Amino acid sequence: MYRVLRRLQCVPKSGHLETRNIASTSKLIVFDKDGTLLSFDKPWLAWCSRLKSGLAEATAKAVDQDMTRILRNMGVDMSKEEIGLGRFAECSQREVRRELTEGFSATLQRVSKDEELASDIIDSCRKEGDGKFPLTDVKTLFHDLKKRDYKIVIATADCDQGIDMFLDDNFIREQVDFVMSADNHTDFPPKPSKISADKLCERFGVDSSNVVMVGDTPTDIQFGLNGEYGLVVGVTTGVGSAQDLNLAGAHVVLDDLSELISVLEDSHIGNSGLD
């Protein structure tokens, strides 16, 4: 049974509906990707392992200590094969890439190697199949949401390459209406930006009270709260615990996405004029 952490109310901002001429039944659901729809640990730990191998090959030396230190500082524990809350899980891929490149460039310089190799090695770590670790039957879930007239957005810190793999590996490209990624942050700043939360509403002509945010980190929860979204759902399938998501302000916390449709049907979403 899902845990309702605070009573949900539908109270549109004063003048909001009249100003933007939005139909009360327009509905939008925004999903985080990694840790919410797709396993976070499996593809990213494999990615980290490839990174370690690539650096060891480039330097002809073991780089375990450097690798362990840099990744641990970002929230990744390779010895336990765990990824927790931290910059690796919550920052955009551009920021993660920048920090890793800087860290490993220093390693390469120390062994008299071209520091630009760090960027090349990082680029080579994504592999086909990294999107084949869904946490639920995403295609069926999205089909059920479409039947209920939801527009579907994926708001992720990943780059377009990783998103394309996920969409194609799970055959959901046609069901997704928009992707907010690390590669379109010029127009959509990274989560938890209120600017982006508001721009998604504007893009689809949806009042914020009829938007659902679903994610596994406090950053995802804060994104939904910053946008004054009507329903903010946390899932414990990623890096955030129920306590983390509760403290962040999630309205509802789920163990997984299997009860999401039930939660939506119990909510006020799409019924803005009702108590």
Side-chain angles (χ1 to χ4, degrees), residues 142-214:
F142 282 10
H143 176 73
D144 289 344
L145 290 168
K146 286 297 186 182
K147 286 197 301 184
R148 290 164 173 81
D149 298 321
Y150 278 91
K151 295 291 186 180
I152 297 174
V153 169
I154 295 178
T156 176
D158 202 359
C159 60
D160 288 347
Q161 180 189 15
I163 296 162
D164 285 340
M165 288 182 184
F166 173 67
L167 295 178
D168 293 338
D169 286 346
N170 293 279
F171 308 102
I172 55 172
R173 185 176 291 276
E174 297 304 316
Q175 295 172 304
V176 175
D177 296 286
F178 183 69
V179 172
M180 180 181 129
S181 75
D183 288 329
N184 61 6
H185 280 169
T186 300
D187 297 319
F188 288 85
K191 296 177 292 186
S193 167
K194 176 173 172 54
I195 293 172
S196 292
D198 290 345
K199 287 181 78 170
L200 289 177
C201 294
E202 294 167 5
R203 183 182 181 91
F204 288 96
V206 179
D207 186 75
S208 62
S209 63
N210 284 332
V211 183
V212 182
M213 177 66 207
V214 186

Side-chain angles (χ1 to χ4, degrees), residues 9 103 122 132 167 183:
Q9 295 180 341
I122 291 170
K132 292 182 178 179
L167 295 178
D183 288 329

Side-chain angles (χ1 to χ4, degrees), residues 16-76:
H16 204 46
L17 290 173
E18 292 75 14
T19 300
R20 286 165 50 194
N21 191 28
I22 294 171
S24 65
T25 54
S26 297
K27 297 181 291 186
L28 178 68
I29 188 163
V30 183
F31 287 96
D32 169 60
K33 179 172 73 72
D34 296 324
T36 302
L37 297 170
L38 179 71
S39 170
F40 197 100
D41 287 357
K42 288 181 180 178
W44 285 112
L45 285 171
W47 185 89
C48 289
S49 180
R50 293 179 204 128
L51 181 59
K52 174 182 173 181
S53 298
L55 279 167
E57 183 177 345
T59 60
K61 295 183 183 223
V63 291
D64 290 20
Q65 289 187 342
D66 285 359
M67 181 85 175
T68 298
R69 173 180 52 79
I70 293 169
L71 289 175
R72 182 179 290 139
N73 288 340
M74 300 181 73
V76 181

